[in-house]
Amino acid sequence: MPAEHAILGLLALGDGAEPGHGYDLARHFGEGQPLGDVLRLEPGMLYHHLKKLERNGWVVAEVEPQPSRPARRTYRLAPAGRAELTRWLEAPVAHTREIRLDFLVKLFFARRLDPARAARLVVEQRETLGRLAESLGRQLAAMDGTDDRTLPAGDHAFAAAVLRLRLAQTTAALDWLTGLVETRGTVTGSTT
Amino acid sequence: MPAEHAILGLLALGDGAEPGHGYDLARHFGEGQPLGDVLRLEPGMLYHHLKKLERNGWVVAEVEPQPSRPARRTYRLAPAGRAELTRWLEAPVAHTREIRLDFLVKLFFARRLDPARAARLVVEQRETLGRLAESLGRQLAAMDGTDDRTLPAGDHAFAAAVLRLRLAQTTAALDWLTGLVETRGTVTGSTT
DNA sequence: AGAGCCATGTAAGAGGTTACATGATTAG
DNA sequence: CTAATCATGTAACCTCTTACATGGCTCT
């Protein structure tokens, strides 16, 4: 669930300085914001997540009553929340389809919180997707060998097309990850 | 919603010959089946969709009571259901992320129901994604021009990386679509 | 005797979308 | 005068997941 970790991430970024109440966090998830262009979050869901994070003990709320307005609930990262954020930031995603959302959010926060960790994340993500690509390649090769004895004619061609698509998407993600490392430290934050 | 259209598609394939009750359809959505490897559907959801398709007037059920077993509900495509299936099969998907699920399901059924339509679908899908790729390319070019006046330093690099990823995924899908047409008519069903 | 097939579902819960409710203040 | 900003949520409604209930039949 990238949404809740993104909220933890925003609180970790502000840390003391930034307010950290719902309405304020909501701005980051609107269109035009770098984060909002990757992960859109409507107010309803945002408040829902904040309540859940509080139940989990990952954040603590401080309530400031205001005249003529709903009381403002300012959230702060709890130690358990910080630990969870770190754990999440260090884990690469397992599937190619998670690159578009989960991985981009991880990258966004890793870059700002700890550029060295961002560089490590990119490397590990490359290794994970690399293993996936190899596996897909092996399945494709095995398929070309069997040459239709288990499956009816068209099914074989279709199954092979599915594998080729997955491999193509994974390879594209791998190339993009490589580009991330190469275009200076601006993105990953490190020049290794 | 690809699941419901996949059910319509299965009923269209069987048409008269095949049974067309829930338990029977469920087999196609299990692992190892060409369709099941793209779209997994648990029995609970399958029966739910069948009820909904019936409420929509897209399928009609015929109930055959059986001794010592729950009555078997055999479904048949209604004219409205067939029209809806055709409409859906002819529409390419708008986003790259829908290629992995929605488009593959469309391709699966288009190939079997009407190979000529499958060929048209692939061509139109290429055009749609091609326009998307151009748009992404333009956005990227425009970004390189601005060179950080609206966004803080790192945000610019991040936003550019997001666009590059989307472009890479879209280009990979385009290449795959081109491959589909070229590897004989086996996949698209037409040798134009 | 026990496993698995047939054939239908329900129940409970997580996660998400869209729209609305409140009500004072500030900006155009 | 109208619209947007601030600040919180609720309500209704989908979708999906996981697990279970039923109960006879067939295969090993």
Side-chain angles (χ1 to χ4, degrees):
Chain A
M1 16 240 62
E4 286 168 19
H5 288 93
I7 294 171
L8 294 179
L10 283 177
L11 293 177
L13 281 180
D15 225 10
E18 301 256 338
H21 56 279
Y23 192 85
D24 190 72
L25 296 170
R27 270 190 283 267
H28 295 274
F29 295 105
E31 72 170 313
Q33 297 315 111
L35 191 55
D37 283 342
V38 169
L39 170 63
R40 201 59 56 90
L41 208 50
E42 302 302 321
M45 272 313 280
L46 176 58
Y47 287 109
H48 172 74
H49 285 310
L50 282 170
K51 287 286 178 199
K52 201 182 147 203
L53 290 172
E54 197 180 353
R55 278 201 307 277
N56 274 1
W58 289 348
V59 302
V60 266
E62 195 180 329
V63 184
E64 313 164 41
Q66 305 201 139
S68 91
R69 251 170 235 257
R72 190 193 249 178
R73 302 177 66 83
T74 304
Y75 291 93
R76 219 179 301 281
L77 253 191
R82 184 172 298 274
E84 171 58 24
L85 176 62
T86 304
R87 188 199 62 71
W88 179 77
L89 276 180
E90 281 175 351
V93 302
H95 306 290
T96 306
R97 63 167 178 276
E98 295 166 319
I99 291 287
R100 271 172 177 260
L101 185 56
D102 301 62
F103 179 78
L104 281 179
V105 176
K106 281 176 204 257
L107 183 65
F108 178 85
F109 288 109
R111 293 211 310 112
R112 279 163 181 70
L113 291 169
D114 184 349
R117 177 152 51 198
R120 247 183 300 141
L121 177 63
V122 172
V123 169
E124 281 166 28
Q125 189 62 71
R126 267 186 55 76
E127 287 166 2
T128 303
L129 287 194
R131 280 190 293 274
L132 221 181
E134 274 171 37
S135 161
L136 288 168
R138 260 181 276 118
Q139 288 175 57
L140 249 178
M143 265 208 116
D144 290 347
T146 63
D147 208 11
D148 282 15
R149 229 163 301 275
T150 47
L151 293 171
D155 287 355
H156 185 266
F158 180 75
V162 170
L163 283 177
R164 277 200 308 277
L165 173 63
R166 290 193 180 143
L167 183 55
Q169 296 279 299
T170 304
T171 304
L174 276 169
D175 290 346
W176 173 78
L177 283 168
T178 305
L180 271 190
V181 181
E182 283 170 1
T183 37
R184 298 156 309 133
T186 322
V187 169
T188 62
S190 88
T191 339
T192 27
Chain B
M1 16 239 56
E4 285 167 20
H5 289 93
I7 294 172
L8 293 179
L10 282 177
L11 292 177
L13 281 181
D15 225 10
E18 300 257 337
H21 57 280
Y23 192 86
D24 190 73
L25 296 170
R27 270 191 283 268
H28 295 274
F29 295 105
E31 71 170 315
Q33 298 314 110
L35 191 55
D37 283 343
V38 170
L39 170 63
R40 201 59 56 90
L41 210 49
E42 302 302 321
M45 273 312 280
L46 176 58
Y47 287 110
H48 172 75
H49 285 309
L50 283 170
K51 288 286 178 198
K52 202 181 146 202
L53 290 172
E54 197 180 353
R55 279 201 307 278
N56 274 1
W58 287 349
V59 302
V60 266
E62 194 181 328
V63 184
E64 314 164 40
Q66 306 203 139
S68 91
R69 249 170 237 257
R72 190 192 249 177
R73 302 177 66 84
T74 304
Y75 291 94
R76 219 178 301 278
L77 253 190
R82 184 171 299 274
E84 171 57 25
L85 176 62
T86 304
R87 189 200 61 71
W88 179 78
L89 276 181
E90 281 175 353
V93 302
H95 306 290
T96 307
R97 62 167 179 275
E98 297 167 320
I99 292 287
R100 273 174 175 259
L101 186 55
D102 301 61
F103 179 78
L104 281 179
V105 175
K106 282 176 204 256
L107 184 65
F108 178 86
F109 287 108
R111 292 211 310 113
R112 278 164 182 70
L113 290 169
D114 184 349
R117 177 152 52 193
R120 248 184 298 140
L121 176 63
V122 171
V123 169
E124 281 166 28
Q125 189 62 71
R126 269 186 54 77
E127 286 166 5
T128 303
L129 286 194
R131 280 190 293 274
L132 222 181
E134 274 171 38
S135 161
L136 288 169
R138 263 182 273 117
Q139 288 174 57
L140 248 178
M143 265 209 116
D144 291 347
T146 62
D147 209 12
D148 284 15
R149 230 164 300 278
T150 46
L151 293 172
D155 287 356
H156 186 264
F158 180 76
V162 170
L163 283 178
R164 278 200 308 276
L165 173 62
R166 291 195 178 141
L167 183 55
Q169 296 278 297
T170 304
T171 305
L174 276 169
D175 290 346
W176 173 77
L177 283 168
T178 305
L180 270 190
V181 181
E182 284 171 1
T183 37
R184 296 157 309 134
T186 321
V187 168
T188 61
S190 89
T191 338
T192 27

